[in-house]
Amino acid sequence: ILPFASVNQILLLLLVLTVCAILYNKVHKVPSSLKNETVDLESPEEMEEEIPVVICAAAGRMGAAIAAISSIYSNSEANVLFYVVGLKNSIPHIRKWIENSKLKEIKFKIVEFNPMVLKGKIRQDASRPELLQPLNFVRFYLPLLIQKHEKVIYLDDDVIVQGDIQELYDTKLAPGHAAAFSDDCDLPSTHEMVRSVGMQNTYMGFLDYRKQAIRDLGISPSTCSFNPGVIVANMTEWKHQRITKQLEKWMQRNVEENLYSSTLGGGVATSPMLIVFYGKHSTINPMWHIRHLGWSPDTRYSEHFLQEAKLLHWNGRYKPWDYPSVHTDLWENWFIPDPSGKFKLTRPES
């Protein structure tokens, strides 16, 4: 039996060791996973979920990507990682623009897109050659470009984000769905705009129903289409369902059979997505994709409606960095001039 004094000494030693351990933990911040405790609400920023946002930076319209990135960064506290995708010859320009402007604070990765993956898969069409640019097809290859993320946001460059991108990222995808889009018939307040400018919002406007291969799909021509300029995608499902391979199959069939054309509503990038994702996609809140701002140089939305919108999309020919176009003030709020002076806005003479 230990003497009484020895017991007291042992207890005192244990107490000192316990205090030392507590102080050590506080100073060195032992990770919660090692302490078997839940994460504190005041967790450091690096613990926040990373939100990957993919935007293309095409030569001749890089100012669009810059304005889109600027609007997202300015309107969110979220931990956004921008994947800026470009062709080899344009990458130095976009990198310099970001690093020599207020955007130097953003987290970003430059990704080179190799257009050789498209060889033999694009049918040449002279009516709207800009729709055949390789970067229009980046959205088909998201898992090849973005490796480590489960969920990804893809945005066309001709958008401005007025809301917190975290809201869009939190879009729920139904089980088995690889992507979410905005349906073209989803917002009553845009219907008058669609009718007035002749914008197509059904599959009839994108696919050639005179072709047997299209009729064999069994899709009603009056089915509401969707716009793939804003996508929330699940990479696990995308890879599991081999979405990229399915899209490439329809691209090759179009080369052989001319199943859709850029003379129709959405050009050659939208149509394969309409086929592959028919009946198998979730929906994005319509206020997160207000479209058709670039469809006419004359037709305008109400200012109040546009202030409420979370995301504005100038899809169509009339872009806000060119002239003529509408609601250019909302776009220019976020534009950052090119430090190299190469990209200039086209504006009427004052």
Side-chain angles (χ1 to χ4, degrees):
I1 299 171
L2 289 170
F4 183 70
S6 297
V7 172
N8 280 347
Q9 286 172 341
I10 291 169
L11 290 173
L12 182 61
L13 181 61
L14 288 173
L15 180 62
V16 170
L17 289 172
T18 303
V19 170
C20 288
I22 291 170
L23 289 172
Y24 182 90
N25 278 353
K26 284 196 172 184
V27 171
H28 293 273
K29 292 186 179 175
V30 174
S32 58
S33 58
L34 298 180
K35 293 188 291 184
N36 197 28
E37 293 173 7
T38 55
V39 177
D40 188 82
L41 291 175
E42 297 281 326
S43 58
E45 188 179 3
E46 57 265 27
M47 299 296 287
E48 289 178 20
E49 186 172 16
E50 210 165 49
I51 298 179
V53 176
V54 179
I55 296 180
C56 295
R61 50 190 285 164
M62 278 188 197
I66 290 291
I69 291 168
S70 170
S71 69
I72 295 165
Y73 180 63
S74 302
N75 288 310
S76 180
E77 296 293 322
N79 183 20
V80 181
L81 173 59
F82 293 97
Y83 284 87
V84 184
V85 186
L87 301 181
K88 187 175 184 177
N89 60 354
S90 61
I91 283 175
H93 185 188
I94 193 70
R95 185 183 293 280
K96 183 178 177 184
W97 199 333
I98 292 172
E99 292 177 348
N100 290 278
S101 71
K102 66 181 182 182
L103 292 181
K104 62 179 178 286
E105 304 295 330
I106 70 170
K107 289 170 63 178
F108 73 101
K109 292 183 179 180
I110 302 284
V111 181
E112 181 184 340
F113 182 68
N114 184 354
M116 289 305 294
V117 300
L118 301 171
K119 190 173 182 180
K121 301 185 184 78
I122 301 177
R123 185 183 183 88
Q124 295 305 310
D125 194 317
S127 60
R128 287 193 67 187
E130 75 276 11
L131 296 176
L132 303 177
Q133 295 301 317
L135 294 180
N136 277 339
F137 301 91
V138 161
R139 69 198 94 186
F140 290 16
Y141 296 94
L142 291 176
L144 302 181
L145 299 167
I146 314 301
Q147 301 292 338
K148 64 174 185 173
H149 301 282
E150 167 74 8
K151 197 175 187 183
V152 172
I153 293 173
Y154 166 88
L155 299 176
D156 276 355
D157 61 358
D158 52 354
V159 306
I160 288 296
V161 175
Q162 301 186 134
D164 185 343
I165 199 73
Q166 181 77 53
E167 285 181 38
L168 181 60
Y169 185 74
D170 289 341
T171 298
K172 294 283 188 289
L173 273 66
H177 284 178
F181 309 95
S182 282
D183 287 329
D184 283 329
C185 333
D186 59 8
L187 202 60
S189 45
T190 67
H191 289 177
E192 188 56 44
M193 166 76 90
V194 170
R195 281 193 293 271
S196 68
V197 299
M199 177 74 182
Q200 292 292 335
N201 62 359
T202 65
Y203 273 57
M204 174 68 88
F206 297 88
L207 306 179
D208 188 348
Y209 276 84
R210 295 170 299 179
K211 301 293 170 66
Q212 188 61 44
I214 296 300
R215 294 199 299 272
D216 287 346
L217 291 168
I219 302 173
S220 167
S222 62
T223 300
C224 184
S225 54
F226 58 79
N227 185 299
V230 177
I231 308 171
V232 181
N234 179 311
M235 294 293 92
T236 301
E237 280 296 336
W238 193 292
K239 287 182 277 193
H240 176 68
Q241 297 179 32
R242 298 169 63 81
I243 296 293
T244 298
K245 288 293 182 191
Q246 292 188 58
L247 292 166
E248 287 185 325
K249 181 190 87 169
W250 284 102
M251 291 168 75
Q252 285 168 327
R253 288 199 68 176
N254 182 57
V255 170
E256 296 157 8
E257 303 173 51
N258 196 19
L259 303 176
Y260 46 85
S261 157
S262 58
T263 56
L264 296 170
V268 292
T270 297
S271 300
M273 299 199 87
L274 290 176
I275 295 170
V276 170
F277 285 102
Y278 169 68
K280 292 187 294 186
H281 69 273
S282 298
T283 55
I284 290 171
N285 179 335
M287 294 305 286
W288 267 100
H289 196 177
I290 302 304
R291 304 180 285 293
H292 317 316
L293 275 77
W295 207 254
S296 164
D298 305 309
T299 310
R300 302 174 68 90
Y301 285 114
S302 79
E303 292 301 323
H304 174 73
F305 176 68
L306 293 180
Q307 294 299 329
E308 296 292 311
K310 305 284 190 176
L311 182 148
L312 305 175
H313 188 184
W314 278 263
N315 59 312
R317 294 173 186 264
Y318 302 98
K319 304 300 186 187
W321 55 90
D322 280 335
Y323 180 83
S325 56
V326 295
H327 304 297
T328 52
D329 54 324
L330 293 172
W331 184 86
E332 276 193 58
N333 280 343
W334 307 108
F335 175 68
I336 299 170
D338 183 359
S340 73
K342 293 177 187 173
F343 182 93
K344 294 181 175 65
L345 303 182
T346 305
R347 295 293 179 254
E349 293 178 5
S350 55

mmCIF file of all heavy atoms in Angstrom, residues 1 22 28 31 40 46 62 74 77 116 140-141 155 166 199-200 208 213 216 219 248 257 292 312 325 342:
data_model
loop_
_atom_site.group_PDB
_atom_site.id
_atom_site.type_symbol
_atom_site.label_atom_id
_atom_site.label_comp_id
_atom_site.label_asym_id
_atom_site.label_seq_id
_atom_site.Cartn_x
_atom_site.Cartn_y
_atom_site.Cartn_z
ATOM 1 N N ILE A 1 0.853 -1.196 0.000
ATOM 2 C CA ILE A 1 0.000 0.000 0.000
ATOM 3 C C ILE A 1 0.882 1.237 0.000
ATOM 4 O O ILE A 1 1.816 1.338 0.793
ATOM 5 C CB ILE A 1 -0.941 0.024 1.221
ATOM 6 C CG1 ILE A 1 -1.859 -1.198 1.176
ATOM 7 C CG2 ILE A 1 -1.754 1.310 1.252
ATOM 8 C CD1 ILE A 1 -2.659 -1.389 2.430
ATOM 9 N N ILE A 22 -4.665 20.312 -21.493
ATOM 10 C CA ILE A 22 -5.704 21.281 -21.900
ATOM 11 C C ILE A 22 -5.058 22.495 -22.555
ATOM 12 O O ILE A 22 -5.488 22.967 -23.612
ATOM 13 C CB ILE A 22 -6.563 21.693 -20.683
ATOM 14 C CG1 ILE A 22 -7.424 20.504 -20.220
ATOM 15 C CG2 ILE A 22 -7.441 22.892 -21.017
ATOM 16 C CD1 ILE A 22 -8.113 20.714 -18.900
ATOM 17 N N HIS A 28 -2.391 24.531 -29.667
ATOM 18 C CA HIS A 28 -2.123 23.865 -30.955
ATOM 19 C C HIS A 28 -3.390 23.511 -31.730
ATOM 20 O O HIS A 28 -3.298 22.999 -32.830
ATOM 21 C CB HIS A 28 -1.289 22.603 -30.712
ATOM 22 C CG HIS A 28 0.089 22.916 -30.223
ATOM 23 N ND1 HIS A 28 1.120 23.159 -31.077
ATOM 24 C CD2 HIS A 28 0.586 23.039 -28.967
ATOM 25 C CE1 HIS A 28 2.231 23.423 -30.384
ATOM 26 N NE2 HIS A 28 1.932 23.357 -29.095
ATOM 27 N N PRO A 31 -7.091 19.050 -34.209
ATOM 28 C CA PRO A 31 -8.258 18.904 -35.089
ATOM 29 C C PRO A 31 -9.384 18.149 -34.407
ATOM 30 O O PRO A 31 -9.156 17.212 -33.653
ATOM 31 C CB PRO A 31 -7.705 18.118 -36.293
ATOM 32 C CG PRO A 31 -6.230 18.366 -36.263
ATOM 33 C CD PRO A 31 -5.865 18.531 -34.832
ATOM 34 N N ASP A 40 -16.563 23.087 -34.430
ATOM 35 C CA ASP A 40 -17.079 24.312 -33.835
ATOM 36 C C ASP A 40 -17.678 25.195 -34.923
ATOM 37 O O ASP A 40 -17.218 25.217 -36.064
ATOM 38 C CB ASP A 40 -15.930 25.043 -33.134
ATOM 39 C CG ASP A 40 -16.418 26.230 -32.332
ATOM 40 O OD1 ASP A 40 -16.867 26.018 -31.207
ATOM 41 O OD2 ASP A 40 -16.354 27.356 -32.864
ATOM 42 N N GLU A 46 -10.776 27.545 -44.133
ATOM 43 C CA GLU A 46 -10.407 26.417 -44.980
ATOM 44 C C GLU A 46 -11.322 25.217 -44.782
ATOM 45 O O GLU A 46 -11.309 24.287 -45.575
ATOM 46 C CB GLU A 46 -8.946 26.021 -44.772
ATOM 47 C CG GLU A 46 -8.566 25.663 -43.350
ATOM 48 C CD GLU A 46 -7.974 26.860 -42.621
ATOM 49 O OE1 GLU A 46 -8.319 28.001 -42.984
ATOM 50 O OE2 GLU A 46 -7.162 26.654 -41.710
ATOM 51 N N MET A 62 -13.207 37.979 -73.761
ATOM 52 C CA MET A 62 -12.717 37.719 -72.410
ATOM 53 C C MET A 62 -13.321 38.657 -71.374
ATOM 54 O O MET A 62 -13.447 38.308 -70.205
ATOM 55 C CB MET A 62 -11.203 37.834 -72.365
ATOM 56 C CG MET A 62 -10.521 36.587 -72.840
ATOM 57 S SD MET A 62 -8.776 36.712 -72.542
ATOM 58 C CE MET A 62 -8.232 35.411 -73.618
ATOM 59 N N SER A 74 -18.015 39.491 -55.967
ATOM 60 C CA SER A 74 -18.473 40.660 -55.215
ATOM 61 C C SER A 74 -19.749 40.406 -54.428
ATOM 62 O O SER A 74 -20.028 41.128 -53.469
ATOM 63 C CB SER A 74 -18.702 41.839 -56.175
ATOM 64 O OG SER A 74 -17.519 42.155 -56.878
ATOM 65 N N GLU A 77 -19.850 35.632 -49.998
ATOM 66 C CA GLU A 77 -18.773 35.360 -49.032
ATOM 67 C C GLU A 77 -18.328 33.901 -49.130
ATOM 68 O O GLU A 77 -17.476 33.452 -48.365
ATOM 69 C CB GLU A 77 -19.264 35.647 -47.606
ATOM 70 C CG GLU A 77 -19.613 37.102 -47.335
ATOM 71 C CD GLU A 77 -18.392 38.013 -47.384
ATOM 72 O OE1 GLU A 77 -17.317 37.586 -46.922
ATOM 73 O OE2 GLU A 77 -18.514 39.140 -47.902
ATOM 74 N N MET A 116 -8.899 19.340 -79.945
ATOM 75 C CA MET A 116 -8.779 18.097 -80.718
ATOM 76 C C MET A 116 -9.818 17.060 -80.285
ATOM 77 O O MET A 116 -10.154 16.156 -81.056
ATOM 78 C CB MET A 116 -7.375 17.522 -80.576
ATOM 79 C CG MET A 116 -6.300 18.331 -81.299
ATOM 80 S SD MET A 116 -6.661 18.578 -83.050
ATOM 81 C CE MET A 116 -6.553 16.890 -83.657
ATOM 82 N N PHE A 140 -19.654 19.857 -72.046
ATOM 83 C CA PHE A 140 -19.801 18.424 -72.305
ATOM 84 C C PHE A 140 -18.741 17.605 -71.573
ATOM 85 O O PHE A 140 -18.910 16.414 -71.357
ATOM 86 C CB PHE A 140 -19.654 18.129 -73.799
ATOM 87 C CG PHE A 140 -20.802 18.614 -74.672
ATOM 88 C CD1 PHE A 140 -21.718 19.537 -74.219
ATOM 89 C CD2 PHE A 140 -20.946 18.129 -75.959
ATOM 90 C CE1 PHE A 140 -22.758 19.982 -75.020
ATOM 91 C CE2 PHE A 140 -21.977 18.555 -76.784
ATOM 92 C CZ PHE A 140 -22.884 19.490 -76.308
ATOM 93 N N TYR A 141 -17.627 18.269 -71.231
ATOM 94 C CA TYR A 141 -16.440 17.547 -70.744
ATOM 95 C C TYR A 141 -16.079 17.913 -69.301
ATOM 96 O O TYR A 141 -14.923 17.789 -68.904
ATOM 97 C CB TYR A 141 -15.258 17.851 -71.674
ATOM 98 C CG TYR A 141 -15.478 17.346 -73.080
ATOM 99 C CD1 TYR A 141 -16.008 18.177 -74.067
ATOM 100 C CD2 TYR A 141 -15.194 16.029 -73.423
ATOM 101 C CE1 TYR A 141 -16.237 17.709 -75.360
ATOM 102 C CE2 TYR A 141 -15.415 15.555 -74.713
ATOM 103 C CZ TYR A 141 -15.934 16.399 -75.675
ATOM 104 O OH TYR A 141 -16.165 15.935 -76.944
ATOM 105 N N LEU A 155 -21.181 28.051 -65.882
ATOM 106 C CA LEU A 155 -21.878 29.265 -66.329
ATOM 107 C C LEU A 155 -21.349 29.703 -67.686
ATOM 108 O O LEU A 155 -20.136 29.712 -67.916
ATOM 109 C CB LEU A 155 -21.661 30.413 -65.331
ATOM 110 C CG LEU A 155 -22.158 30.210 -63.900
ATOM 111 C CD1 LEU A 155 -21.774 31.418 -63.045
ATOM 112 C CD2 LEU A 155 -23.661 29.995 -63.862
ATOM 113 N N GLN A 166 -23.773 30.774 -53.454
ATOM 114 C CA GLN A 166 -24.033 29.655 -52.546
ATOM 115 C C GLN A 166 -25.449 29.123 -52.742
ATOM 116 O O GLN A 166 -25.686 27.911 -52.695
ATOM 117 C CB GLN A 166 -23.850 30.106 -51.092
ATOM 118 C CG GLN A 166 -24.075 29.005 -50.053
ATOM 119 C CD GLN A 166 -22.915 28.040 -49.944
ATOM 120 O OE1 GLN A 166 -21.779 28.472 -49.763
ATOM 121 N NE2 GLN A 166 -23.176 26.745 -50.038
ATOM 122 N N MET A 199 -38.435 33.850 -79.636
ATOM 123 C CA MET A 199 -37.529 32.860 -79.041
ATOM 124 C C MET A 199 -38.242 31.523 -78.907
ATOM 125 O O MET A 199 -39.383 31.462 -78.456
ATOM 126 C CB MET A 199 -37.089 33.358 -77.660
ATOM 127 C CG MET A 199 -36.207 32.410 -76.894
ATOM 128 S SD MET A 199 -34.539 32.344 -77.544
ATOM 129 C CE MET A 199 -33.812 31.114 -76.470
ATOM 130 N N GLN A 200 -37.562 30.460 -79.276
ATOM 131 C CA GLN A 200 -38.147 29.129 -79.153
ATOM 132 C C GLN A 200 -38.005 28.628 -77.720
ATOM 133 O O GLN A 200 -36.956 28.825 -77.101
ATOM 134 C CB GLN A 200 -37.441 28.156 -80.101
ATOM 135 C CG GLN A 200 -37.693 28.432 -81.568
ATOM 136 C CD GLN A 200 -39.131 28.165 -81.978
ATOM 137 O OE1 GLN A 200 -39.823 27.379 -81.357
ATOM 138 N NE2 GLN A 200 -39.570 28.833 -83.019
ATOM 139 N N ASP A 208 -34.709 18.752 -85.572
ATOM 140 C CA ASP A 208 -35.376 18.657 -86.871
ATOM 141 C C ASP A 208 -36.289 17.434 -86.876
ATOM 142 O O ASP A 208 -35.838 16.300 -87.087
ATOM 143 C CB ASP A 208 -34.327 18.560 -87.978
ATOM 144 C CG ASP A 208 -34.950 18.651 -89.368
ATOM 145 O OD1 ASP A 208 -36.192 18.557 -89.467
ATOM 146 O OD2 ASP A 208 -34.185 18.815 -90.338
ATOM 147 N N ALA A 213 -34.569 9.824 -87.034
ATOM 148 C CA ALA A 213 -33.832 9.606 -85.779
ATOM 149 C C ALA A 213 -34.384 10.464 -84.647
ATOM 150 O O ALA A 213 -34.404 10.037 -83.484
ATOM 151 C CB ALA A 213 -32.344 9.913 -85.977
ATOM 152 N N ASP A 216 -37.882 9.064 -83.689
ATOM 153 C CA ASP A 216 -37.725 7.805 -82.957
ATOM 154 C C ASP A 216 -37.452 8.010 -81.469
ATOM 155 O O ASP A 216 -37.603 7.083 -80.661
ATOM 156 C CB ASP A 216 -36.597 6.962 -83.561
ATOM 157 C CG ASP A 216 -36.985 6.352 -84.902
ATOM 158 O OD1 ASP A 216 -38.186 6.363 -85.231
ATOM 159 O OD2 ASP A 216 -36.072 5.876 -85.626
ATOM 160 N N ILE A 219 -39.998 12.015 -78.263
ATOM 161 C CA ILE A 219 -40.132 13.261 -77.496
ATOM 162 C C ILE A 219 -41.109 14.173 -78.232
ATOM 163 O O ILE A 219 -40.902 14.488 -79.414
ATOM 164 C CB ILE A 219 -38.777 13.981 -77.346
ATOM 165 C CG1 ILE A 219 -37.758 13.078 -76.656
ATOM 166 C CG2 ILE A 219 -38.940 15.288 -76.576
ATOM 167 C CD1 ILE A 219 -36.342 13.652 -76.633
ATOM 168 N N GLU A 248 -21.352 12.974 -77.081
ATOM 169 C CA GLU A 248 -20.507 12.809 -78.268
ATOM 170 C C GLU A 248 -21.200 11.953 -79.329
ATOM 171 O O GLU A 248 -21.062 12.206 -80.531
ATOM 172 C CB GLU A 248 -19.176 12.166 -77.870
ATOM 173 C CG GLU A 248 -18.248 13.105 -77.122
ATOM 174 C CD GLU A 248 -16.895 12.494 -76.835
ATOM 175 O OE1 GLU A 248 -16.835 11.264 -76.580
ATOM 176 O OE2 GLU A 248 -15.896 13.220 -76.848
ATOM 177 N N GLU A 257 -26.084 12.973 -90.099
ATOM 178 C CA GLU A 257 -27.494 13.027 -90.508
ATOM 179 C C GLU A 257 -28.119 14.422 -90.448
ATOM 180 O O GLU A 257 -29.294 14.582 -90.812
ATOM 181 C CB GLU A 257 -28.312 12.077 -89.618
ATOM 182 C CG GLU A 257 -27.823 10.631 -89.637
ATOM 183 C CD GLU A 257 -28.554 9.768 -88.613
ATOM 184 O OE1 GLU A 257 -29.801 9.797 -88.604
ATOM 185 O OE2 GLU A 257 -27.873 9.093 -87.809
ATOM 186 N N HIS A 292 -32.638 35.597 -72.283
ATOM 187 C CA HIS A 292 -33.083 36.307 -73.485
ATOM 188 C C HIS A 292 -32.712 37.788 -73.503
ATOM 189 O O HIS A 292 -33.200 38.530 -74.351
ATOM 190 C CB HIS A 292 -34.611 36.175 -73.688
ATOM 191 C CG HIS A 292 -35.150 34.811 -73.438
ATOM 192 N ND1 HIS A 292 -34.531 33.672 -73.902
ATOM 193 C CD2 HIS A 292 -36.248 34.387 -72.739
ATOM 194 C CE1 HIS A 292 -35.231 32.613 -73.510
ATOM 195 N NE2 HIS A 292 -36.260 33.016 -72.806
ATOM 196 N N LEU A 312 -28.548 37.100 -64.540
ATOM 197 C CA LEU A 312 -28.988 37.627 -65.830
ATOM 198 C C LEU A 312 -28.137 37.012 -66.937
ATOM 199 O O LEU A 312 -26.923 36.915 -66.809
ATOM 200 C CB LEU A 312 -28.838 39.156 -65.863
ATOM 201 C CG LEU A 312 -29.531 39.930 -64.742
ATOM 202 C CD1 LEU A 312 -29.181 41.419 -64.830
ATOM 203 C CD2 LEU A 312 -31.041 39.741 -64.802
ATOM 204 N N SER A 325 -27.268 46.728 -77.735
ATOM 205 C CA SER A 325 -27.677 45.728 -76.747
ATOM 206 C C SER A 325 -28.501 46.431 -75.682
ATOM 207 O O SER A 325 -28.565 47.662 -75.650
ATOM 208 C CB SER A 325 -26.455 45.047 -76.123
ATOM 209 O OG SER A 325 -25.598 45.998 -75.552
ATOM 210 N N LYS A 342 -6.285 45.380 -74.753
ATOM 211 C CA LYS A 342 -6.684 44.633 -75.956
ATOM 212 C C LYS A 342 -8.205 44.559 -76.104
ATOM 213 O O LYS A 342 -8.740 44.668 -77.204
ATOM 214 C CB LYS A 342 -6.108 43.215 -75.916
ATOM 215 C CG LYS A 342 -4.597 43.134 -76.024
ATOM 216 C CD LYS A 342 -4.128 41.691 -75.906
ATOM 217 C CE LYS A 342 -2.614 41.603 -75.846
ATOM 218 N NZ LYS A 342 -2.166 40.222 -75.556
#
